[in-house]
Amino acid sequence: MNYKNITIAGSGVLGSQIAFQTAFKGLNVSVYDINDEALERAKDRIINLKPYYKEDIGATEEDLNTAYARISFHSDLSVAVAEADLVIEAIPEVVQIKTDFYTELGKVAPEKTIFATNSSTLLPSQFAEATGRPKKFLALHFANEIWKNNTAEIMKHPGTDNEVFDEVIEFAKAIGMVPLPLHKEQPGYILNSLLVPLLDAAQMLLLKGVADTETIDKTWMVATGAPLGPFAILDVVGINTAYNISLAKAKATGDPEVEKLANLLKTEYIDKGKIGREAGEGFYKYPNPHFAKPDFLRG
């Protein structure tokens, strides 16, 4: 694996995690976002990851400061990708936004640069032509809390060059991931093909008034032994992401129930600033959510 310079496009929750993990493993990282305000938030997100690295994997302050020093921040895309061996796109789950981004990226990135999308649900073939380099494009999907849940799903589309596929598998290994190769396109990859139906089912139970969020989470945690219920997971993922996915699904299918769900997420959570764990409140309040209390599972 001869990648040295990695650009992360999109500095949200997962984009920031990918950036820091990549730098922590010794590579140079450029973070791109649309303006300086977004980049300032990214700097805070990345700095706030340090305690988790200390607690969960025993990283030292020196290790973490060295990693942070490997990261640069840019609001000019051409500057951000000037030396990039690989660009990992982690921008919102909106088809037009991604299409526009890849059209621009293809114009300014060096010929050598490989493009990878971290899209949770969309297929790389949807954007392959927009990149201008379909052979050098594929999907690279990470799970949240990347330093712990160290999986990287690498998914080719029919036009991906096999050598590029193998290179990105090696990159995933180099940054401490367990690479999970997918040889055929699958919406949601492996992880989200299993996880999204659970999250969808939980949200529909809430929408229909069957039970509240804590009862639904408690049911899943008690019955399966899982450390988090679906709404706690959604708080980690971010409610903006859940909303974008629901909105896209509602538009694609015309399902009125999914449209109601998207509206519920927007009016009762996003519009009230309850966008997940990062904001301090989503379905739960943080840093001390109810599901983490010792008596949560005791009836």
Side-chain angles (χ1 to χ4, degrees), residues 2-3 84-89 101-102 105-106 109-117 124-125 127-140 154-168:
N2 58 3
Y3 297 167
D85 297 303
L86 172 68
V87 174
I88 302 172
E89 169 266 309
F101 170 76
Y102 280 115
L105 178 64
E111 180 61 30
K112 68 173 182 175
T113 310
I114 307 302
F115 299 168
T117 179
S125 59
F127 309 104
E129 291 306 317
T131 69
R133 57 187 78 186
K135 291 182 179 181
K136 295 182 177 181
F137 178 59
L138 74 176
L140 174 60
I154 302 99
M155 182 170 70
K156 62 171 67 175
H157 67 89
T160 303
D161 185 279
N162 284 331
E163 186 175 340
V164 169
F165 186 63
D166 292 340
E167 285 179 3
V168 175

mmCIF file of all heavy atoms in Angstrom, residues 2-3 84-89 101-102 105-106 109-117 124-125 127-140 154-168:
data_model
loop_
_atom_site.group_PDB
_atom_site.id
_atom_site.type_symbol
_atom_site.label_atom_id
_atom_site.label_comp_id
_atom_site.label_asym_id
_atom_site.label_seq_id
_atom_site.Cartn_x
_atom_site.Cartn_y
_atom_site.Cartn_z
ATOM 1 N N ASN A 2 0.855 1.987 -1.081
ATOM 2 C CA ASN A 2 1.751 3.133 -1.209
ATOM 3 C C ASN A 2 1.040 4.471 -1.067
ATOM 4 O O ASN A 2 1.556 5.497 -1.486
ATOM 5 C CB ASN A 2 2.495 3.080 -2.553
ATOM 6 C CG ASN A 2 1.550 3.045 -3.737
ATOM 7 O OD1 ASN A 2 0.330 3.122 -3.565
ATOM 8 N ND2 ASN A 2 2.094 2.915 -4.937
ATOM 9 N N TYR A 3 -0.154 4.464 -0.493
ATOM 10 C CA TYR A 3 -0.844 5.724 -0.242
ATOM 11 C C TYR A 3 -0.143 6.458 0.900
ATOM 12 O O TYR A 3 0.193 5.870 1.926
ATOM 13 C CB TYR A 3 -2.303 5.496 0.148
ATOM 14 C CG TYR A 3 -3.170 4.848 -0.908
ATOM 15 C CD1 TYR A 3 -4.419 4.358 -0.561
ATOM 16 C CD2 TYR A 3 -2.770 4.740 -2.228
ATOM 17 C CE1 TYR A 3 -5.250 3.768 -1.505
ATOM 18 C CE2 TYR A 3 -3.583 4.151 -3.179
ATOM 19 C CZ TYR A 3 -4.818 3.661 -2.809
ATOM 20 O OH TYR A 3 -5.626 3.078 -3.746
ATOM 21 N N ALA A 84 -3.473 14.263 -3.174
ATOM 22 C CA ALA A 84 -4.218 13.099 -2.681
ATOM 23 C C ALA A 84 -3.961 11.834 -3.485
ATOM 24 O O ALA A 84 -4.065 11.826 -4.712
ATOM 25 C CB ALA A 84 -5.711 13.407 -2.675
ATOM 26 N N ASP A 85 -3.622 10.769 -2.770
ATOM 27 C CA ASP A 85 -3.598 9.428 -3.364
ATOM 28 C C ASP A 85 -5.002 8.828 -3.333
ATOM 29 O O ASP A 85 -5.368 8.046 -4.213
ATOM 30 C CB ASP A 85 -2.638 8.522 -2.594
ATOM 31 C CG ASP A 85 -1.202 9.005 -2.664
ATOM 32 O OD1 ASP A 85 -0.693 9.158 -3.787
ATOM 33 O OD2 ASP A 85 -0.616 9.253 -1.594
ATOM 34 N N LEU A 86 -5.757 9.196 -2.311
ATOM 35 C CA LEU A 86 -7.115 8.672 -2.116
ATOM 36 C C LEU A 86 -7.983 9.774 -1.528
ATOM 37 O O LEU A 86 -7.574 10.459 -0.587
ATOM 38 C CB LEU A 86 -7.080 7.471 -1.158
ATOM 39 C CG LEU A 86 -8.417 6.901 -0.683
ATOM 40 C CD1 LEU A 86 -9.169 6.230 -1.832
ATOM 41 C CD2 LEU A 86 -8.207 5.897 0.456
ATOM 42 N N VAL A 87 -9.177 9.950 -2.079
ATOM 43 C CA VAL A 87 -10.188 10.839 -1.504
ATOM 44 C C VAL A 87 -11.328 9.970 -0.986
ATOM 45 O O VAL A 87 -11.887 9.155 -1.729
ATOM 46 C CB VAL A 87 -10.736 11.838 -2.537
ATOM 47 C CG1 VAL A 87 -11.896 12.648 -1.940
ATOM 48 C CG2 VAL A 87 -9.644 12.777 -3.019
ATOM 49 N N ILE A 88 -11.671 10.140 0.283
ATOM 50 C CA ILE A 88 -12.813 9.443 0.874
ATOM 51 C C ILE A 88 -13.918 10.475 1.068
ATOM 52 O O ILE A 88 -13.756 11.423 1.838
ATOM 53 C CB ILE A 88 -12.449 8.782 2.213
ATOM 54 C CG1 ILE A 88 -11.300 7.789 2.019
ATOM 55 C CG2 ILE A 88 -13.675 8.080 2.811
ATOM 56 C CD1 ILE A 88 -10.758 7.227 3.328
ATOM 57 N N GLU A 89 -15.010 10.292 0.373
ATOM 58 C CA GLU A 89 -16.147 11.225 0.443
ATOM 59 C C GLU A 89 -17.105 10.800 1.541
ATOM 60 O O GLU A 89 -17.554 9.654 1.576
ATOM 61 C CB GLU A 89 -16.849 11.250 -0.917
ATOM 62 C CG GLU A 89 -18.189 11.955 -0.912
ATOM 63 C CD GLU A 89 -19.347 10.994 -0.702
ATOM 64 O OE1 GLU A 89 -19.417 9.987 -1.433
ATOM 65 O OE2 GLU A 89 -20.164 11.264 0.208
ATOM 66 N N PHE A 101 -20.744 17.078 -6.226
ATOM 67 C CA PHE A 101 -19.407 17.026 -5.637
ATOM 68 C C PHE A 101 -18.454 16.227 -6.523
ATOM 69 O O PHE A 101 -17.328 16.674 -6.797
ATOM 70 C CB PHE A 101 -19.465 16.393 -4.244
ATOM 71 C CG PHE A 101 -18.099 16.093 -3.683
ATOM 72 C CD1 PHE A 101 -17.306 17.107 -3.177
ATOM 73 C CD2 PHE A 101 -17.596 14.800 -3.697
ATOM 74 C CE1 PHE A 101 -16.034 16.838 -2.683
ATOM 75 C CE2 PHE A 101 -16.328 14.523 -3.210
ATOM 76 C CZ PHE A 101 -15.546 15.548 -2.701
ATOM 77 N N TYR A 102 -18.879 15.051 -6.977
ATOM 78 C CA TYR A 102 -17.985 14.229 -7.792
ATOM 79 C C TYR A 102 -17.673 14.874 -9.142
ATOM 80 O O TYR A 102 -16.558 14.733 -9.666
ATOM 81 C CB TYR A 102 -18.570 12.835 -7.977
ATOM 82 C CG TYR A 102 -18.332 11.957 -6.783
ATOM 83 C CD1 TYR A 102 -19.392 11.481 -6.009
ATOM 84 C CD2 TYR A 102 -17.040 11.627 -6.398
ATOM 85 C CE1 TYR A 102 -19.160 10.699 -4.896
ATOM 86 C CE2 TYR A 102 -16.808 10.852 -5.279
ATOM 87 C CZ TYR A 102 -17.861 10.386 -4.525
ATOM 88 O OH TYR A 102 -17.629 9.620 -3.415
ATOM 89 N N LEU A 105 -15.014 17.295 -8.166
ATOM 90 C CA LEU A 105 -13.811 16.590 -7.733
ATOM 91 C C LEU A 105 -13.036 16.033 -8.924
ATOM 92 O O LEU A 105 -11.806 16.120 -8.976
ATOM 93 C CB LEU A 105 -14.187 15.459 -6.778
ATOM 94 C CG LEU A 105 -13.038 14.591 -6.269
ATOM 95 C CD1 LEU A 105 -12.071 15.413 -5.418
ATOM 96 C CD2 LEU A 105 -13.591 13.411 -5.453
ATOM 97 N N GLY A 106 -13.760 15.470 -9.872
ATOM 98 C CA GLY A 106 -13.114 14.902 -11.043
ATOM 99 C C GLY A 106 -12.324 15.913 -11.848
ATOM 100 O O GLY A 106 -11.349 15.561 -12.531
ATOM 101 N N ALA A 109 -8.962 16.921 -9.063
ATOM 102 C CA ALA A 109 -8.076 15.927 -8.455
ATOM 103 C C ALA A 109 -7.009 15.460 -9.441
ATOM 104 O O ALA A 109 -7.261 15.390 -10.645
ATOM 105 C CB ALA A 109 -8.889 14.724 -7.975
ATOM 106 N N PRO A 110 -5.801 15.140 -8.961
ATOM 107 C CA PRO A 110 -4.765 14.590 -9.839
ATOM 108 C C PRO A 110 -5.217 13.293 -10.501
ATOM 109 O O PRO A 110 -6.096 12.582 -9.980
ATOM 110 C CB PRO A 110 -3.604 14.329 -8.871
ATOM 111 C CG PRO A 110 -3.851 15.219 -7.703
ATOM 112 C CD PRO A 110 -5.344 15.309 -7.572
ATOM 113 N N GLU A 111 -4.609 12.973 -11.612
ATOM 114 C CA GLU A 111 -4.967 11.772 -12.360
ATOM 115 C C GLU A 111 -4.782 10.507 -11.529
ATOM 116 O O GLU A 111 -5.529 9.546 -11.666
ATOM 117 C CB GLU A 111 -4.110 11.683 -13.633
ATOM 118 C CG GLU A 111 -4.386 10.464 -14.499
ATOM 119 C CD GLU A 111 -5.823 10.407 -15.024
ATOM 120 O OE1 GLU A 111 -6.426 11.480 -15.213
ATOM 121 O OE2 GLU A 111 -6.322 9.286 -15.231
ATOM 122 N N LYS A 112 -3.805 10.511 -10.630
ATOM 123 C CA LYS A 112 -3.496 9.326 -9.830
ATOM 124 C C LYS A 112 -4.560 9.020 -8.777
ATOM 125 O O LYS A 112 -4.633 7.890 -8.269
ATOM 126 C CB LYS A 112 -2.167 9.506 -9.108
ATOM 127 C CG LYS A 112 -2.209 10.590 -8.023
ATOM 128 C CD LYS A 112 -0.941 10.656 -7.192
ATOM 129 C CE LYS A 112 -1.049 11.714 -6.100
ATOM 130 N NZ LYS A 112 0.126 11.735 -5.199
ATOM 131 N N THR A 113 -5.392 9.999 -8.431
ATOM 132 C CA THR A 113 -6.228 9.908 -7.233
ATOM 133 C C THR A 113 -7.365 8.910 -7.382
ATOM 134 O O THR A 113 -8.124 8.933 -8.356
ATOM 135 C CB THR A 113 -6.810 11.285 -6.868
ATOM 136 O OG1 THR A 113 -5.765 12.255 -6.846
ATOM 137 C CG2 THR A 113 -7.488 11.239 -5.512
ATOM 138 N N ILE A 114 -7.492 8.050 -6.381
ATOM 139 C CA ILE A 114 -8.614 7.118 -6.264
ATOM 140 C C ILE A 114 -9.726 7.802 -5.482
ATOM 141 O O ILE A 114 -9.457 8.511 -4.507
ATOM 142 C CB ILE A 114 -8.173 5.829 -5.525
ATOM 143 C CG1 ILE A 114 -6.933 5.220 -6.175
ATOM 144 C CG2 ILE A 114 -9.318 4.827 -5.455
ATOM 145 C CD1 ILE A 114 -7.083 4.867 -7.617
ATOM 146 N N PHE A 115 -10.978 7.580 -5.885
ATOM 147 C CA PHE A 115 -12.128 8.141 -5.175
ATOM 148 C C PHE A 115 -12.891 7.010 -4.484
ATOM 149 O O PHE A 115 -13.131 5.962 -5.090
ATOM 150 C CB PHE A 115 -13.102 8.834 -6.135
ATOM 151 C CG PHE A 115 -12.540 9.999 -6.899
ATOM 152 C CD1 PHE A 115 -13.253 10.528 -7.968
ATOM 153 C CD2 PHE A 115 -11.325 10.579 -6.565
ATOM 154 C CE1 PHE A 115 -12.767 11.612 -8.692
ATOM 155 C CE2 PHE A 115 -10.828 11.660 -7.284
ATOM 156 C CZ PHE A 115 -11.553 12.174 -8.343
ATOM 157 N N ALA A 116 -13.302 7.253 -3.242
ATOM 158 C CA ALA A 116 -14.111 6.279 -2.514
ATOM 159 C C ALA A 116 -15.248 6.999 -1.808
ATOM 160 O O ALA A 116 -15.047 8.049 -1.197
ATOM 161 C CB ALA A 116 -13.260 5.526 -1.490
ATOM 162 N N THR A 117 -16.434 6.431 -1.893
ATOM 163 C CA THR A 117 -17.577 6.985 -1.171
ATOM 164 C C THR A 117 -17.820 6.203 0.104
ATOM 165 O O THR A 117 -17.751 4.970 0.118
ATOM 166 C CB THR A 117 -18.857 6.989 -2.028
ATOM 167 O OG1 THR A 117 -19.936 7.533 -1.235
ATOM 168 C CG2 THR A 117 -19.238 5.611 -2.522
ATOM 169 N N PRO A 124 -22.185 2.882 -5.455
ATOM 170 C CA PRO A 124 -21.164 3.621 -6.199
ATOM 171 C C PRO A 124 -21.495 3.778 -7.679
ATOM 172 O O PRO A 124 -21.123 4.781 -8.294
ATOM 173 C CB PRO A 124 -19.888 2.792 -5.979
ATOM 174 C CG PRO A 124 -20.335 1.473 -5.464
ATOM 175 C CD PRO A 124 -21.634 1.715 -4.760
ATOM 176 N N SER A 125 -22.211 2.836 -8.255
ATOM 177 C CA SER A 125 -22.562 2.951 -9.682
ATOM 178 C C SER A 125 -23.446 4.160 -9.962
ATOM 179 O O SER A 125 -23.495 4.643 -11.094
ATOM 180 C CB SER A 125 -23.255 1.675 -10.169
ATOM 181 O OG SER A 125 -24.429 1.421 -9.425
ATOM 182 N N PHE A 127 -22.828 7.084 -9.038
ATOM 183 C CA PHE A 127 -21.980 8.267 -9.173
ATOM 184 C C PHE A 127 -20.745 8.007 -10.036
ATOM 185 O O PHE A 127 -19.948 8.922 -10.251
ATOM 186 C CB PHE A 127 -21.540 8.739 -7.780
ATOM 187 C CG PHE A 127 -22.680 8.887 -6.824
ATOM 188 C CD1 PHE A 127 -22.914 7.943 -5.837
ATOM 189 C CD2 PHE A 127 -23.556 9.953 -6.929
ATOM 190 C CE1 PHE A 127 -23.978 8.059 -4.971
ATOM 191 C CE2 PHE A 127 -24.626 10.080 -6.066
ATOM 192 C CZ PHE A 127 -24.844 9.129 -5.089
ATOM 193 N N ALA A 128 -20.585 6.785 -10.516
ATOM 194 C CA ALA A 128 -19.356 6.407 -11.212
ATOM 195 C C ALA A 128 -19.059 7.307 -12.403
ATOM 196 O O ALA A 128 -17.925 7.768 -12.583
ATOM 197 C CB ALA A 128 -19.428 4.941 -11.642
ATOM 198 N N GLU A 129 -20.068 7.570 -13.229
ATOM 199 C CA GLU A 129 -19.833 8.401 -14.416
ATOM 200 C C GLU A 129 -19.543 9.845 -14.040
ATOM 201 O O GLU A 129 -18.732 10.516 -14.678
ATOM 202 C CB GLU A 129 -21.035 8.317 -15.362
ATOM 203 C CG GLU A 129 -21.188 6.968 -16.022
ATOM 204 C CD GLU A 129 -19.929 6.508 -16.750
ATOM 205 O OE1 GLU A 129 -19.307 7.345 -17.455
ATOM 206 O OE2 GLU A 129 -19.548 5.335 -16.608
ATOM 207 N N ALA A 130 -20.189 10.338 -12.984
ATOM 208 C CA ALA A 130 -19.965 11.722 -12.557
ATOM 209 C C ALA A 130 -18.527 11.947 -12.116
ATOM 210 O O ALA A 130 -18.007 13.071 -12.218
ATOM 211 C CB ALA A 130 -20.923 12.092 -11.430
ATOM 212 N N THR A 131 -17.848 10.897 -11.652
ATOM 213 C CA THR A 131 -16.463 11.051 -11.189
ATOM 214 C C THR A 131 -15.500 11.336 -12.335
ATOM 215 O O THR A 131 -14.424 11.887 -12.121
ATOM 216 C CB THR A 131 -15.970 9.788 -10.473
ATOM 217 O OG1 THR A 131 -15.836 8.712 -11.424
ATOM 218 C CG2 THR A 131 -16.900 9.385 -9.346
ATOM 219 N N GLY A 132 -15.870 10.920 -13.555
ATOM 220 C CA GLY A 132 -14.959 11.049 -14.686
ATOM 221 C C GLY A 132 -13.873 10.002 -14.712
ATOM 222 O O GLY A 132 -13.053 9.963 -15.623
ATOM 223 N N ARG A 133 -13.840 9.134 -13.693
ATOM 224 C CA ARG A 133 -12.844 8.061 -13.610
ATOM 225 C C ARG A 133 -13.460 6.819 -12.953
ATOM 226 O O ARG A 133 -13.028 6.393 -11.874
ATOM 227 C CB ARG A 133 -11.608 8.530 -12.854
ATOM 228 C CG ARG A 133 -11.867 9.045 -11.436
ATOM 229 C CD ARG A 133 -10.611 9.646 -10.817
ATOM 230 N NE ARG A 133 -10.365 10.988 -11.351
ATOM 231 C CZ ARG A 133 -9.289 11.719 -11.083
ATOM 232 N NH1 ARG A 133 -8.358 11.259 -10.267
ATOM 233 N NH2 ARG A 133 -9.128 12.917 -11.617
ATOM 234 N N PRO A 134 -14.472 6.230 -13.586
ATOM 235 C CA PRO A 134 -15.201 5.120 -12.954
ATOM 236 C C PRO A 134 -14.329 3.935 -12.561
ATOM 237 O O PRO A 134 -14.635 3.244 -11.579
ATOM 238 C CB PRO A 134 -16.233 4.727 -14.015
ATOM 239 C CG PRO A 134 -15.772 5.348 -15.284
ATOM 240 C CD PRO A 134 -15.022 6.577 -14.907
ATOM 241 N N LYS A 135 -13.236 3.694 -13.289
ATOM 242 C CA LYS A 135 -12.365 2.566 -12.933
ATOM 243 C C LYS A 135 -11.669 2.787 -11.594
ATOM 244 O O LYS A 135 -11.271 1.820 -10.938
ATOM 245 C CB LYS A 135 -11.313 2.352 -14.027
ATOM 246 C CG LYS A 135 -11.873 1.836 -15.340
ATOM 247 C CD LYS A 135 -10.762 1.598 -16.352
ATOM 248 C CE LYS A 135 -11.321 1.046 -17.662
ATOM 249 N NZ LYS A 135 -10.235 0.798 -18.647
ATOM 250 N N LYS A 136 -11.529 4.053 -11.208
ATOM 251 C CA LYS A 136 -10.817 4.399 -9.972
ATOM 252 C C LYS A 136 -11.785 4.816 -8.867
ATOM 253 O O LYS A 136 -11.436 5.599 -7.985
ATOM 254 C CB LYS A 136 -9.812 5.524 -10.240
ATOM 255 C CG LYS A 136 -8.681 5.121 -11.172
ATOM 256 C CD LYS A 136 -7.683 6.271 -11.348
ATOM 257 C CE LYS A 136 -6.527 5.839 -12.227
ATOM 258 N NZ LYS A 136 -5.534 6.926 -12.401
ATOM 259 N N PHE A 137 -12.970 4.278 -8.912
ATOM 260 C CA PHE A 137 -14.005 4.669 -7.954
ATOM 261 C C PHE A 137 -14.664 3.431 -7.369
ATOM 262 O O PHE A 137 -14.938 2.449 -8.074
ATOM 263 C CB PHE A 137 -15.050 5.539 -8.649
ATOM 264 C CG PHE A 137 -16.200 5.956 -7.773
ATOM 265 C CD1 PHE A 137 -15.983 6.681 -6.617
ATOM 266 C CD2 PHE A 137 -17.507 5.628 -8.115
ATOM 267 C CE1 PHE A 137 -17.041 7.068 -5.809
ATOM 268 C CE2 PHE A 137 -18.573 6.020 -7.318
ATOM 269 C CZ PHE A 137 -18.335 6.740 -6.162
ATOM 270 N N LEU A 138 -14.937 3.471 -6.055
ATOM 271 C CA LEU A 138 -15.592 2.372 -5.355
ATOM 272 C C LEU A 138 -16.135 2.902 -4.034
ATOM 273 O O LEU A 138 -16.023 4.096 -3.746
ATOM 274 C CB LEU A 138 -14.622 1.213 -5.135
ATOM 275 C CG LEU A 138 -13.533 1.338 -4.067
ATOM 276 C CD1 LEU A 138 -12.742 0.033 -3.957
ATOM 277 C CD2 LEU A 138 -12.587 2.495 -4.329
ATOM 278 N N ALA A 139 -16.692 2.015 -3.235
ATOM 279 C CA ALA A 139 -17.231 2.402 -1.927
ATOM 280 C C ALA A 139 -16.321 1.868 -0.825
ATOM 281 O O ALA A 139 -15.781 0.763 -0.924
ATOM 282 C CB ALA A 139 -18.645 1.858 -1.752
ATOM 283 N N LEU A 140 -16.172 2.674 0.214
ATOM 284 C CA LEU A 140 -15.386 2.308 1.391
ATOM 285 C C LEU A 140 -16.164 2.773 2.609
ATOM 286 O O LEU A 140 -16.210 3.963 2.912
ATOM 287 C CB LEU A 140 -14.007 2.968 1.336
ATOM 288 C CG LEU A 140 -13.098 2.818 2.547
ATOM 289 C CD1 LEU A 140 -12.790 1.347 2.824
ATOM 290 C CD2 LEU A 140 -11.804 3.603 2.337
ATOM 291 N N ILE A 154 -15.408 -2.742 1.709
ATOM 292 C CA ILE A 154 -14.919 -2.252 0.423
ATOM 293 C C ILE A 154 -15.782 -2.882 -0.662
ATOM 294 O O ILE A 154 -15.789 -4.113 -0.830
ATOM 295 C CB ILE A 154 -13.439 -2.607 0.209
ATOM 296 C CG1 ILE A 154 -12.583 -2.036 1.339
ATOM 297 C CG2 ILE A 154 -12.940 -2.056 -1.130
ATOM 298 C CD1 ILE A 154 -12.238 -3.022 2.423
ATOM 299 N N MET A 155 -16.534 -2.042 -1.392
ATOM 300 C CA MET A 155 -17.495 -2.550 -2.363
ATOM 301 C C MET A 155 -17.221 -1.958 -3.736
ATOM 302 O O MET A 155 -17.231 -0.741 -3.920
ATOM 303 C CB MET A 155 -18.926 -2.214 -1.920
ATOM 304 C CG MET A 155 -20.014 -2.750 -2.842
ATOM 305 S SD MET A 155 -21.662 -2.580 -2.113
ATOM 306 C CE MET A 155 -21.914 -0.799 -2.161
ATOM 307 N N LYS A 156 -16.971 -2.820 -4.697
ATOM 308 C CA LYS A 156 -16.742 -2.372 -6.070
ATOM 309 C C LYS A 156 -18.070 -2.212 -6.800
ATOM 310 O O LYS A 156 -19.106 -2.766 -6.378
ATOM 311 C CB LYS A 156 -15.856 -3.371 -6.811
ATOM 312 C CG LYS A 156 -16.467 -4.765 -6.935
ATOM 313 C CD LYS A 156 -15.679 -5.677 -7.851
ATOM 314 C CE LYS A 156 -14.325 -6.051 -7.327
ATOM 315 N NZ LYS A 156 -13.620 -7.031 -8.186
ATOM 316 N N HIS A 157 -18.059 -1.436 -7.872
ATOM 317 C CA HIS A 157 -19.165 -1.448 -8.820
ATOM 318 C C HIS A 157 -18.661 -2.177 -10.068
ATOM 319 O O HIS A 157 -17.467 -2.516 -10.160
ATOM 320 C CB HIS A 157 -19.644 -0.023 -9.120
ATOM 321 C CG HIS A 157 -18.663 0.824 -9.864
ATOM 322 N ND1 HIS A 157 -18.611 0.865 -11.240
ATOM 323 C CD2 HIS A 157 -17.675 1.660 -9.438
ATOM 324 C CE1 HIS A 157 -17.643 1.675 -11.621
ATOM 325 N NE2 HIS A 157 -17.063 2.182 -10.559
ATOM 326 N N PRO A 158 -19.513 -2.467 -11.033
ATOM 327 C CA PRO A 158 -19.074 -3.294 -12.167
ATOM 328 C C PRO A 158 -17.873 -2.748 -12.927
ATOM 329 O O PRO A 158 -17.126 -3.520 -13.536
ATOM 330 C CB PRO A 158 -20.319 -3.337 -13.069
ATOM 331 C CG PRO A 158 -21.468 -3.205 -12.127
ATOM 332 C CD PRO A 158 -20.986 -2.251 -11.072
ATOM 333 N N GLY A 159 -17.642 -1.431 -12.870
ATOM 334 C CA GLY A 159 -16.537 -0.858 -13.617
ATOM 335 C C GLY A 159 -15.272 -0.618 -12.819
ATOM 336 O O GLY A 159 -14.273 -0.115 -13.355
ATOM 337 N N THR A 160 -15.258 -0.967 -11.529
ATOM 338 C CA THR A 160 -14.075 -0.739 -10.692
ATOM 339 C C THR A 160 -12.926 -1.641 -11.124
ATOM 340 O O THR A 160 -13.099 -2.849 -11.292
ATOM 341 C CB THR A 160 -14.391 -0.999 -9.209
ATOM 342 O OG1 THR A 160 -15.478 -0.181 -8.788
ATOM 343 C CG2 THR A 160 -13.175 -0.698 -8.341
ATOM 344 N N ASP A 161 -11.751 -1.059 -11.268
ATOM 345 C CA ASP A 161 -10.555 -1.829 -11.602
ATOM 346 C C ASP A 161 -10.171 -2.715 -10.416
ATOM 347 O O ASP A 161 -10.138 -2.250 -9.274
ATOM 348 C CB ASP A 161 -9.416 -0.863 -11.925
ATOM 349 C CG ASP A 161 -8.170 -1.578 -12.408
ATOM 350 O OD1 ASP A 161 -7.416 -2.088 -11.559
ATOM 351 O OD2 ASP A 161 -7.945 -1.631 -13.632
ATOM 352 N N ASN A 162 -9.872 -3.966 -10.674
ATOM 353 C CA ASN A 162 -9.547 -4.905 -9.598
ATOM 354 C C ASN A 162 -8.305 -4.485 -8.821
ATOM 355 O O ASN A 162 -8.197 -4.730 -7.613
ATOM 356 C CB ASN A 162 -9.362 -6.322 -10.152
ATOM 357 C CG ASN A 162 -10.678 -6.982 -10.495
ATOM 358 O OD1 ASN A 162 -11.710 -6.691 -9.882
ATOM 359 N ND2 ASN A 162 -10.665 -7.869 -11.481
ATOM 360 N N GLU A 163 -7.366 -3.861 -9.492
ATOM 361 C CA GLU A 163 -6.158 -3.399 -8.807
ATOM 362 C C GLU A 163 -6.492 -2.303 -7.803
ATOM 363 O O GLU A 163 -5.951 -2.269 -6.692
ATOM 364 C CB GLU A 163 -5.139 -2.885 -9.829
ATOM 365 C CG GLU A 163 -3.796 -2.526 -9.216
ATOM 366 C CD GLU A 163 -2.766 -2.141 -10.261
ATOM 367 O OE1 GLU A 163 -2.944 -2.503 -11.445
ATOM 368 O OE2 GLU A 163 -1.777 -1.477 -9.891
ATOM 369 N N VAL A 164 -7.396 -1.414 -8.188
ATOM 370 C CA VAL A 164 -7.854 -0.369 -7.269
ATOM 371 C C VAL A 164 -8.557 -1.002 -6.075
ATOM 372 O O VAL A 164 -8.329 -0.609 -4.916
ATOM 373 C CB VAL A 164 -8.790 0.616 -8.001
ATOM 374 C CG1 VAL A 164 -9.485 1.549 -7.020
ATOM 375 C CG2 VAL A 164 -8.012 1.409 -9.039
ATOM 376 N N PHE A 165 -9.409 -1.968 -6.328
ATOM 377 C CA PHE A 165 -10.117 -2.695 -5.264
ATOM 378 C C PHE A 165 -9.123 -3.266 -4.261
ATOM 379 O O PHE A 165 -9.257 -3.091 -3.040
ATOM 380 C CB PHE A 165 -10.956 -3.797 -5.908
ATOM 381 C CG PHE A 165 -11.852 -4.560 -4.974
ATOM 382 C CD1 PHE A 165 -12.880 -3.934 -4.301
ATOM 383 C CD2 PHE A 165 -11.675 -5.926 -4.799
ATOM 384 C CE1 PHE A 165 -13.734 -4.649 -3.454
ATOM 385 C CE2 PHE A 165 -12.513 -6.648 -3.959
ATOM 386 C CZ PHE A 165 -13.545 -6.003 -3.290
ATOM 387 N N ASP A 166 -8.084 -3.930 -4.756
ATOM 388 C CA ASP A 166 -7.080 -4.544 -3.882
ATOM 389 C C ASP A 166 -6.287 -3.489 -3.114
ATOM 390 O O ASP A 166 -5.959 -3.685 -1.938
ATOM 391 C CB ASP A 166 -6.125 -5.418 -4.706
ATOM 392 C CG ASP A 166 -6.805 -6.654 -5.280
ATOM 393 O OD1 ASP A 166 -7.868 -7.044 -4.762
ATOM 394 O OD2 ASP A 166 -6.269 -7.229 -6.253
ATOM 395 N N GLU A 167 -5.988 -2.365 -3.766
ATOM 396 C CA GLU A 167 -5.254 -1.291 -3.096
ATOM 397 C C GLU A 167 -6.036 -0.726 -1.917
ATOM 398 O O GLU A 167 -5.469 -0.443 -0.852
ATOM 399 C CB GLU A 167 -4.950 -0.164 -4.086
ATOM 400 C CG GLU A 167 -3.841 -0.452 -5.067
ATOM 401 C CD GLU A 167 -3.620 0.702 -6.036
ATOM 402 O OE1 GLU A 167 -4.310 1.735 -5.889
ATOM 403 O OE2 GLU A 167 -2.775 0.567 -6.936
ATOM 404 N N VAL A 168 -7.327 -0.546 -2.106
ATOM 405 C CA VAL A 168 -8.138 0.033 -1.034
ATOM 406 C C VAL A 168 -8.305 -0.970 0.111
ATOM 407 O O VAL A 168 -8.359 -0.576 1.285
ATOM 408 C CB VAL A 168 -9.491 0.530 -1.582
ATOM 409 C CG1 VAL A 168 -10.397 1.017 -0.460
ATOM 410 C CG2 VAL A 168 -9.261 1.668 -2.579
#
